[in-house]
Amino acid sequence: MTLSPRARLALRLFTGLGLGAIYVPLVVVLINSFNVSQTFGWPPTGLTLRWWAAVWDNPGARSAVLTSARVGLAATGIALVLGTMTAFAVQRYRWFGREVVGFLVVLPIALPGIVTGIALNSAFAARGIPLGYLSVIVGHATFCIVVVHNNALARLRRMGTSLEEASADLGADIFQTFALVTFPQLWSALLAGGLLAFALSFDEVVVTTFTTPPGLQTLPLWIFDNLFRPNQAPVVNVVAAVLIVMSVVPIWVSQRLSGEPTTGGRM
Amino acid sequence: MDPGVDPDQGLTRRRRPRAVVRVSGFLHRHPLVRLLGLLSAPMLWLVVAYLGSLALMFAAALWSVDSFTGNLIRVPTLDNLRTLITQDVYRTVALRSLAVAASVTVVDAMIALPMAFYLAKVASPGTQRLLVAAVLTPLWASYLVKAYAWRTMLANDGVLSWALRPFGTSGPDFGVVTTGITLGYLWLPFMILPIFAGLQRLPDSLLEASADLGASAGWTFRSVVLPLVFPSIVAGSIFTFSLSLGDYIAVKIVGGSTQLFANIIYDSIAGGTNPPFAAAAALFPVLAVLLYLALIRRTGALENL
């Protein structure tokens, strides 16, 4: 349709305002991380780098980052294996249960996190499995599978099967075909999926709340724990600022790898 | 043949072990075995572990807790469900949660539609790439950080009050409204992206045809664009609706003393006080989301995810 210049301008302004509203709160957190004042107050009374240095020496924040990284890596590893398997099962075979598998994979992220969290919590309790690294990793892997699955599925669809058939025709066994033909075409999608799964795990609060024992803190749990402690506000501000800056990484890398800006299969 | 002449003429580098060849041949001839192999581990995980946990939880919804000893009584009873249905508190909170989820969805759709339209149909390709990335990036910023950001925006001495002070008013106090704003902010990208994708699939020729036939821009929007992107809007609404319904953390951060339904679930399990009641209460968001999915099935939105 031909839009009048006025309508175009209005749309442009509206979009600008919308993006402004998306970014203003994030910028406020960034600025606030340099705020001199110990308690929150806007506008900042002065700017300092003191809190950024303080975070570096904060043992709680450091160990929380480490915990999150460990959990994220393990969960991503499991999700990479399981998500790739489901993607092959759905994409490369015509059978009756394809939609069911697709549905099962999305379910952990489609149901409210609190439902998944409580369900896993009660299952661990019923089996007598103590909460610990294992339970958090199981919880995270469960909802990370979908991210890898969606990324791998999209790539498999685009790849087609002709190269694999050619490889088989030329005498390669199925392991050789996978290693020399399929995987080289697939790996970048898996890397993107893995990265996004890690980001998802790194950020998760709700399932984590129900699968961690007291004393084990991932970064989001540490943030939540310190959010309401007045004297911790400056440190929380800095951690928040770092996380905002870091959110560019998954987008940038996945755009590099797949050439498409991605939601990472979260939708 | 001369010794030293490769019988194979270098055509294969080295022979594969016989066992590998046999396994490979067997798998090649039996796709069903391959499929079952591929499904084994994921189904063990998703069906046995995950669905099993869900079933266990909902079975526990029928248990109760001995109010004296605090021990679980594993005798099926409908008491939890009866309490949830009959007591006014729960009905009020459930309705409030539904109202918040619905308003967040409507407001997000109203903001997302013009933005997505600009991205898909007006912006130049270069600008489009940049703006899509700009919409996507906050999706990967930490959930807690975004909720926290709105706490700093909306607090009494926050940015909004500071900005409004010259006009002699202040921002809203922490409550249902601030919770709604924050949830709407958190899920907005989930609404923009499906609508954007839907608009991109909409051929420009349809818009031109409508204009050629004399429709004004507004008329084209109402009679061509809106009906065709409606499934995408509904697809986005699945996220905004179900994510809002399951949220208890944003309310804690910006809701003041407001309670949403997920808080009830959280509070009855967090202290370890009444897990069966939490399980029973968890039925509400699950049923509400499933009902919503059933309602919108016919719009074709599920194929637009």
Side-chain angles (χ1 to χ4, degrees):
Chain A
M1 79 188 129
T2 37
L3 286 169
S4 64
R6 261 224 329 258
R8 281 169 174 274
L9 184 68
L11 277 173
R12 183 170 298 152
L13 278 178
F14 188 89
T15 308
L17 274 176
L19 282 171
I22 289 177
Y23 279 94
V24 162
L26 301 179
V27 171
V28 166
V29 172
L30 282 178
I31 295 174
N32 221 5
S33 68
F34 300 103
N35 194 346
V36 169
S37 149
Q38 177 107 38
T39 53
F40 174 73
W42 189 265
T45 42
L47 300 177
T48 175
L49 281 171
R50 210 175 107 209
W51 309 121
W52 281 74
V55 164
W56 193 249
D57 297 324
N58 187 305
R62 280 177 96 148
S63 81
V65 169
L66 263 174
T67 306
S68 275
R70 271 189 212 132
V71 170
L73 284 176
T76 304
I78 296 171
L80 274 173
V81 174
L82 297 181
T84 310
M85 290 169 91
T86 54
F88 270 98
V90 166
Q91 205 342 319
R92 287 292 153 87
Y93 299 88
R94 306 276 154 252
W95 60 294
F96 61 94
R98 296 167 67 214
E99 279 171 22
V100 179
V101 173
F103 175 75
L104 268 177
V105 167
V106 204
L107 198 62
I109 215 164
L111 286 182
I114 193 163
V115 174
T116 302
I118 294 181
L120 290 174
N121 182 289
S122 56
F124 287 127
R127 292 271 163 282
I129 302 167
L131 297 184
Y133 269 110
L134 182 73
S135 57
V136 197
I137 290 167
V138 168
H140 281 206
T142 305
F143 61 74
C144 282
I145 295 173
V146 63
V147 182
V148 177
H149 172 88
N150 283 357
N151 273 275
L153 193 72
R155 179 63 58 87
L156 285 176
R157 194 177 294 147
R158 199 143 43 106
M159 273 161 53
T161 52
S162 47
L163 287 179
E164 288 164 15
E165 281 156 17
S167 163
D169 288 346
L170 291 169
D173 64 50
I174 62 169
F175 304 111
Q176 287 170 315
T177 301
F178 183 79
L180 301 173
V181 178
T182 313
F183 190 72
Q185 298 181 80
L186 188 64
W187 73 269
S188 62
L190 293 184
L191 188 62
L195 187 83
L196 298 168
F198 183 82
L200 196 60
S201 157
F202 205 77
D203 182 35
E204 215 280 340
V205 202
V206 181
V207 175
T208 320
T209 307
F210 290 102
T211 47
T212 37
L216 191 66
Q217 268 187 336
T218 62
L219 190 61
L221 290 189
W222 181 86
I223 296 177
F224 195 52
D225 199 35
N226 286 282
L227 209 53
F228 304 106
R229 296 187 182 163
N231 54 346
Q232 289 281 34
V235 179
V236 171
N237 275 328
V238 174
V239 173
V242 172
L243 287 177
I244 289 173
V245 175
M246 299 265 285
S247 65
V248 183
V249 176
I251 294 298
W252 186 76
V253 176
S254 67
Q255 199 152 7
R256 272 291 159 100
L257 288 175
S258 64
E260 280 287 315
T262 179
T263 60
R266 285 171 85 171
M267 41 201 337
Chain B
M1 198 186 313
D2 264 349
V5 172
D6 187 349
D8 189 37
Q9 295 295 295
L11 282 175
T12 53
R13 265 178 303 171
R14 90 189 124 85
R15 209 166 281 285
R16 304 280 288 173
R18 186 175 291 255
V20 172
V21 174
R22 196 172 295 158
V23 171
S24 166
F26 177 78
L27 288 175
H28 185 79
R29 284 188 302 276
H30 297 88
L32 188 65
V33 177
R34 269 180 297 163
L35 178 61
L36 289 176
L38 282 173
L39 286 172
S40 57
M43 288 305 108
L44 213 60
W45 190 288
L46 289 170
V47 176
V48 179
Y50 182 61
L51 287 188
S53 309
L54 283 176
L56 202 67
M57 175 180 79
F58 288 124
L62 298 176
W63 297 346
S64 55
V65 167
D66 189 318
S67 57
F68 191 63
T69 58
N71 289 336
L72 275 180
I73 305 171
R74 291 188 165 82
V75 179
T77 157
L78 290 174
D79 283 354
N80 289 327
L81 297 172
R82 202 171 294 133
T83 313
L84 278 167
I85 294 167
T86 50
Q87 289 200 8
D88 285 345
V89 197
Y90 300 120
R91 200 175 313 149
T92 315
V93 178
L95 286 177
R96 185 191 297 143
S97 294
L98 285 175
V100 167
S103 1
V104 165
T105 300
V106 171
V107 171
D108 269 354
M110 276 160 46
I111 297 174
L113 198 53
M115 286 182 75
F117 190 84
Y118 178 78
L119 291 183
K121 296 291 176 202
V122 183
S124 65
T127 323
Q128 187 187 67
R129 253 179 94 81
L130 204 70
L131 292 184
V132 171
V135 170
L136 273 168
T137 308
L139 201 61
W140 293 100
S142 162
Y143 165 93
L144 274 179
V145 167
K146 284 181 281 188
Y148 175 65
W150 277 94
R151 193 176 162 87
T152 63
M153 291 290 287
L154 298 166
N156 266 333
D157 47 1
V159 180
L160 196 65
S161 296
W162 170 76
L164 290 175
R165 200 167 304 142
F167 306 100
T169 90
S170 66
D173 279 330
F174 286 156
V176 180
V177 177
T178 51
T179 306
I181 294 175
T182 307
L183 289 175
Y185 175 81
L186 284 166
W187 318 138
L188 182 62
F190 288 100
M191 185 62 102
I192 297 181
L193 292 164
I195 301 183
F196 169 72
L199 283 167
Q200 270 198 318
R201 283 194 299 267
L202 178 79
D204 286 344
S205 55
L206 289 183
L207 307 182
E208 283 156 19
S210 171
D212 288 347
L213 293 168
S216 66
W219 187 249
T220 304
F221 186 78
R222 270 195 304 276
S223 57
V224 179
V225 178
L226 213 49
L228 286 172
V229 294
F230 186 69
S232 310
I233 299 175
V234 177
S237 78
I238 297 172
F239 291 97
T240 56
F241 185 78
S242 67
L243 289 171
S244 302
L245 212 54
D247 191 276
Y248 68 91
I249 290 181
V251 202
K252 283 194 170 188
I253 296 177
V254 293
S257 58
T258 315
Q259 276 215 319
L260 292 184
F261 202 82
N263 296 89
I264 291 178
I265 307 175
Y266 178 80
D267 291 340
S268 41
I269 198 172
T273 43
N274 198 344
F277 187 74
L283 276 169
F284 169 70
V286 172
L287 289 180
V289 169
L290 289 180
L291 189 71
Y292 188 67
L293 289 177
L295 276 178
I296 60 175
R297 245 187 96 124
R298 309 188 64 188
T299 62
L302 298 175
E303 288 79 54
N304 273 279
L305 287 177

